[in-house]
Amino acid sequence: MLDLKMSKSFFIYTYGCQMNVHDSEKMLGTLEKAGYAATERPDQADLIIFNTCAIRAKAEQKFFSQLGRTKLLKRKNPHMKIAVAGCVAQESQEEIRKRAPYVDVVLGPQNIHQVRNIFSTPRQIFIEENPGIALQEYEMHRQSLSRAWVSIMYGCNNYCSYCIVPYTRGREISRPSKNILAEIADLKARGYREVTLLGQNVNSYRSDRDFVQLLYKIGLIGLDRVRFVTSHPRDLSPALIQAIDEIPCMCEHLHLPLQSGSNGVLHRMNRRYTYASYREKVFKIRDHIPDIAITTDIIVGFPGESERDYEATIHAVEELRFDGIFGFKYSERKGTRAAALDGQVPENLKTERIQRLLKTQELITLKRNQSLEGSVQEILIEGPSDTDPEMLMGRTRTNKIVNIRNSGEREGTMLTVRIRKGRQHSLDGDVIPG
Ligand code: SAH
Ligand code: SF4
Ligand code: F3S
């Protein structure tokens, strides 16, 4: 008789930051290695995993509503297992148990290696601290064949007063440099062209080497491009600026979250720098590397943010002329220090403030993109453009999107282009035959 035992299938929903995207690649790889099969169809899966984000209330709500819809699938297929992983899993296991008793497994970000046991364990919660995480090596199923994420450290010790991450990802811990270097050398051997190093605050990377020493070592591997996210402005050192300048593969892009232009707000956010010191660093970086693109994160409506504080942020954005900003309305996170502060800002005022902030930046981004018209840029092709299959999309070293005519180049090809037009969200380019 035929063996009818087919391999079980799973589907992963991913929310949140690059770390979660990469954690999903680890879970996918681990489950496939254990003999399970990924499926495109959640309604046919034996296991559904939610890799969740808790950074703002909205991200959490998105997950909870999808979870509610999935409950109906489970009603039709009672053998289906549901697992909640990621930052909400770590922070809100009680709430998940209460709101969704049909969830079988809860799996925090420090315990994703346990994913291989989900099928064989009954209901279970994996949220204990895992100091071994820095030594954990994973099977990974990467989404791209040319660009790869590489974790260099886990957790965060900064405790910015608004932020849930130190509670969900645990204490800061760095991977040994030899593991990181081996992973990157292997990627290079398999034809990868770009690596993005991941950590909540890469400047505090510390194992047998510090971050700058690690970058020089990575520079010797011979990749085309290396990036990192995210660096904390307080710890951005002259040595790091020099490293970006000197090491050929280091891309001319820095994401440097400012959060606010007001010293009072920065202090209450526990950011431990002033606007003047941030500004100084930006000027210094641009002095050394004039073509560098700098992007940032801004929060409006932090508790106690006055009209004057807000104007200071607008002033900062106008003065520093970022290449792009990610703007957020402050979202209260239970258990953080900011949640206990007086002076919560009403929602409609937050909305007004974010709208004007984004409007102010829009024009700056457009002007900066237009200033690139006529320049020659190297782009790494990612694939057909999202909006127009006749076009191909690639990225500059400064992380800007460039659209070119589709002449069939594959993902991972490097091309030289001349920028014809700068737009709000992208650039148009023409290939310079080479
Ligand atoms: N470790 C990274 C940030 C991770 S979170 C860093 O420090 O740069 C990404 C961004 O989300 C933060 O920079 C901040 O701007 C925003 N953010 C974090 N907590 C938030 C909250 N409670 N409300 C609104 N935005 C928040
Ligand atoms: Fe959150 Fe601050 Fe840590 Fe970034 S550095 S993850 S904003 S606590
Ligand atoms: Fe990332 Fe969201 Fe967690 S931003 S670290 S997945 S709370």
Side-chain angles (χ1 to χ4, degrees):
M1 221 175 88
L2 263 175
D3 184 2
L4 290 177
K5 200 180 111 224
M6 294 206 318
S7 82
K8 297 209 167 183
S9 68
F10 65 94
F11 181 90
I12 306 180
Y13 287 102
T14 305
Y15 306 84
C17 65
Q18 293 99 333
M19 265 161 245
N20 260 17
V21 172
H22 188 41
D23 283 352
S24 285
E25 293 182 331
K26 293 173 182 170
M27 290 195 277
L28 185 64
T30 305
L31 285 169
E32 284 178 339
K33 176 77 176 180
Y36 305 112
T39 167
E40 302 279 305
R41 299 271 310 264
D43 58 326
Q44 294 179 353
D46 301 302
L47 164 68
I48 293 187
I49 301 174
F50 291 87
N51 194 8
T52 60
C53 172
I55 200 81
R56 286 169 288 274
K58 239 193 193 160
E60 249 186 69
Q61 282 154 11
K62 241 166 69 190
F63 148 63
F64 274 113
S65 54
Q66 187 60 46
L67 181 61
R69 285 192 286 274
T70 305
K71 180 185 178 183
L72 305 177
L73 292 182
K74 183 158 174 154
R75 215 175 267 159
K76 278 192 222 144
N77 172 12
H79 297 296
M80 171 188 274
K81 278 198 164 212
I82 298 184
V84 179
C87 288
V88 180
Q90 189 69 32
E91 234 340 75
S92 312
Q93 63 279 24
E94 283 302 317
E95 194 183 344
I96 293 167
R97 239 199 316 233
K98 256 198 272 150
R99 279 177 70 166
Y102 50 88
V103 166
D104 301 282
V105 177
V106 172
L107 188 80
Q110 293 190 40
N111 289 284
I112 58 177
H113 58 284
Q114 299 282 10
V115 76
R116 67 169 76 86
N117 299 319
I118 290 188
F119 279 108
S120 52
T121 51
R123 300 170 66 84
Q124 200 149 349
I125 296 186
F126 302 99
I127 53 166
E128 62 281 7
E129 265 209 57
N130 172 19
I133 189 170
L135 297 176
Q136 206 92 55
E137 295 288 312
Y138 300 88
E139 293 294 330
M140 298 179 221
H141 181 143
R142 299 180 188 271
Q143 285 172 353
S144 160
L145 295 170
S146 58
R147 296 172 306 136
W149 310 107
V150 173
S151 305
I152 64 165
M153 58 193 299
Y154 302 101
C156 182
N157 287 350
N158 278 313
Y159 289 97
C160 301
S161 64
Y162 49 80
C163 185
I164 195 78
V165 173
Y167 306 93
T168 66
R169 299 251 162 194
R171 297 289 51 75
E172 202 169 271
I173 183 158
S174 298
R175 280 178 79 195
S177 70
K178 86 171 177 352
N179 297 14
I180 298 168
L181 293 167
E183 185 176 334
I184 296 176
D186 175 61
L187 289 165
K188 161 82 183 152
R190 289 193 286 133
Y192 279 81
R193 313 216 60 172
E194 179 176 308
V195 156
T196 303
L197 310 174
L198 289 179
Q200 294 295 351
N201 175 14
V202 292
N203 308 85
S204 39
Y205 175 84
R206 220 151 259 107
S207 63
D208 47 318
R209 295 191 161 81
D210 68 17
F211 184 53
V212 169
Q213 292 165 338
L214 178 69
L215 290 184
Y216 279 97
K217 278 281 180 190
I218 292 172
L220 299 175
I221 295 174
L223 277 167
D224 296 278
R225 293 178 169 192
V226 176
R227 310 176 182 282
F228 54 84
V229 278
T230 300
S231 49
H232 192 294
R234 183 200 51 205
D235 307 325
L236 185 93
S237 63
L240 178 58
I241 299 174
Q242 192 180 345
I244 299 172
D245 194 13
E246 267 177 13
I247 304 171
C249 64
M250 291 306 304
C251 287
E252 294 75 28
H253 172 221
L254 198 58
H255 184 64
L256 198 61
L258 169 63
Q259 312 300 1
S260 168
S262 151
N263 288 337
V265 172
L266 286 172
H267 181 71
R268 277 177 287 127
M269 285 177 163
N270 193 32
R271 291 292 286 178
R272 290 168 287 167
Y273 54 82
T274 60
Y275 175 60
S277 68
Y278 181 97
R279 176 174 171 266
E280 187 88 355
K281 287 187 179 174
V282 166
F283 288 165
K284 200 160 173 184
I285 297 162
R286 287 187 176 147
D287 255 3
H288 282 78
I289 313 166
D291 292 337
I292 199 164
I294 303 179
T295 53
T296 202
D297 294 344
I298 302 275
I299 297 176
V300 299
F302 185 79
E305 184 187 68
S306 66
E307 206 53 46
R308 250 182 91 186
D309 293 322
Y310 172 67
E311 290 302 331
T313 297
I314 294 282
H315 170 76
V317 163
E318 284 173 339
E319 181 172 46
L320 298 178
R321 302 181 58 74
F322 294 105
D323 289 85
I325 69 176
F326 297 90
F328 307 106
K329 293 194 269 187
Y330 169 73
S331 170
E332 185 180 312
R333 306 282 68 206
K334 231 185 270 154
T336 61
R337 275 198 285 150
L341 291 177
D342 291 334
Q344 300 289 334
V345 175
E347 192 60 28
N348 58 347
L349 189 52
K350 285 188 208 169
T351 304
E352 245 171 62
R353 287 181 179 175
I354 192 82
Q355 281 171 349
R356 192 175 135 217
L357 173 73
L358 296 179
K359 191 117 209 125
T360 306
Q361 178 61 35
E362 239 171 51
L363 194 62
I364 297 170
T365 305
L366 180 64
K367 284 262 163 65
R368 286 196 83 97
N369 286 348
Q370 285 172 342
S371 75
L372 294 171
E373 289 173 4
S375 71
V376 173
Q377 306 277 339
E378 169 204 284
I379 63 170
L380 177 61
I381 296 297
E382 292 183 14
S385 143
D386 285 342
T387 44
D388 182 356
E390 301 282 284
M391 306 291 280
L392 271 182
M393 189 277 253
R395 254 173 229 274
T396 63
R397 292 173 60 91
T398 53
N399 210 32
K400 302 207 182 227
I401 291 174
V402 180
N403 290 304
I404 59 168
R405 273 250 310 281
N406 191 344
S407 37
E409 278 85 2
R410 298 195 170 204
E411 176 189 343
T413 311
M414 287 279 187
L415 294 173
T416 307
V417 299
R418 188 181 302 281
I419 303 304
R420 181 173 6 97
K421 190 172 173 59
R423 301 178 182 276
Q424 187 68 55
H425 300 290
S426 64
L427 310 166
D428 297 346
D430 299 308
V431 176
I432 299 176

